[in-house]
Amino acid sequence: MTIRTLAVVGTGLIGTSVALAASGHRVTVYLSDRDESALHAAAERGAGRPEPPPHPVDLAVLAVPPSQIAPVLAREQARGLARSYTDVASVKARPQREILATAPDPSSYVGGHPMAGRERSGPLAARAELFRDRPWVLTPTRFTTKHAFDRALGLIALCGGTPRVMRARAHDDAVALTSHAPHLLASLMAARLRDGPVPAARLAGQGLRDVTRIARGDSRLWGDIVESNAQAVADVLTRLQEELAGVLAALYDLAEPEGGVGGPGPETRGKSRHTLVDLLERGIAGVGELSEDRADGTRH
């Protein structure tokens, strides 16, 4: 479905990137944000007009934190901002439940999540090509109309994304593993640098920089994201905790002097070495799943 007019509520990294992509296709884009500096920065980059539209737009994109999707949708629907609505939040199940309970018109809404981002935030980090060839999940409910769904597909096409349809809960379970838990782990590792030996950060190589890169994300936004998907994230971290306990036990065994009185015997040390090597090999296999050129054609 052709989109001629678009409203973007929230001019952070994702909202501004959507606006830039749409504006590049001659869509008339209207921007709004409580943060005046972010709003004007996005407008100065050519993302759209920092003003309310004179008439309802074809589609409104809610680029706000997960906890704000339902109240912002209710507000914008009450004032007739758009004919259809979607969002770009990285949590879907909780906002969906709240929308079905509180939105004036749940049928004109479809949840969305473009699987793209950067470690930097804000409108100055936005890029029109951010979503090119990236998966963009849609989570329609039984109430979502064909018009709303087709307009969301039209937006994805404008941005160069690849649409994927999922149930909200399945989406949240997946991103807990692929995004939310990794962000917390990156933060935990990065936080250790403040408590480690003084020269440690100066000795950091590319490996540590890769592991901690995403820890630079906006702390308030990520706090909202993790809280909104808390159960799924906790489930992932619990499984990691169980595996970590086994790794710790193996390391303590191997830290004991070989042949020491009361220390682990050769058989125990052999099992501990196997535990470590097995983890490293499973890690190599897991990284293989992230290949950008998989045989099934998907790109992660």
Side-chain angles (χ1 to χ4, degrees), residues 52-267:
H55 307 289
V57 297
D58 294 325
L59 179 67
V61 179
L62 310 183
V64 298
S67 67
Q68 295 303 304
I69 296 297
V72 170
L73 177 65
R75 182 190 74 204
E76 300 300 347
Q77 285 190 336
R79 71 186 188 93
L81 175 63
R83 297 177 181 88
S84 300
Y85 300 81
T86 189
D87 73 277
V88 292
S90 66
V91 181
K92 304 268 60 96
R94 178 176 169 183
Q96 186 178 96
R97 289 195 303 270
E98 294 171 348
I99 286 166
L100 293 178
T102 63
D105 180 19
S107 68
S108 65
Y109 163 82
V110 57
H113 179 207
M115 307 298 292
R118 302 184 70 188
E119 65 272 18
R120 297 169 57 203
S121 59
L124 298 181
R127 300 186 302 177
E129 65 275 12
L130 185 66
F131 313 107
R132 190 172 298 161
D133 298 326
R134 300 301 300 159
W136 192 311
V137 175
L138 294 178
T139 55
T141 72
R142 66 183 184 279
F143 300 109
T144 301
T145 66
K146 186 176 186 300
H147 283 304
F149 186 77
D150 287 348
R151 287 190 179 109
L153 287 177
L155 175 68
I156 296 172
L158 285 174
C159 294
T162 303
R164 304 283 176 85
V165 178
M166 297 181 70
R167 293 185 180 275
R169 184 71 266 160
H171 165 274
D172 289 0
D173 288 343
V175 294
L177 175 62
T178 63
S179 176
H180 303 166
H183 195 97
L184 288 180
L185 293 173
S187 296
L188 282 168
M189 194 67 228
R192 292 300 307 156
L193 293 173
R194 299 188 64 182
D195 303 323
V198 174
R202 300 172 191 168
L203 300 178
Q206 193 58 46
L208 181 64
R209 297 179 192 279
D210 289 344
V211 168
T212 59
R213 177 180 56 82
I214 57 175
R216 295 180 182 273
D218 185 307
S219 59
R220 291 185 180 181
L221 173 61
W222 273 98
D224 191 298
I225 289 170
V226 172
E227 179 179 353
S228 297
N229 201 23
Q231 184 62 59
V233 176
D235 289 344
V236 172
L237 293 180
T238 296
R239 290 191 289 272
L240 287 173
Q241 184 181 42
E242 292 168 353
E243 287 216 59
L244 183 59
V247 172
L248 282 171
L251 289 171
Y252 281 122
D253 282 343
L254 295 172
E256 291 287 338
E258 192 165 1
V261 178
E267 183 177 352

Side-chain angles (χ1 to χ4, degrees), residues 2-6 19-29 158:
T2 302
I3 297 174
R4 295 183 175 85
T5 55
L6 184 75
L20 287 170
S23 294
H25 287 276
R26 299 183 180 180
V27 174
T28 301
V29 180
L158 285 174

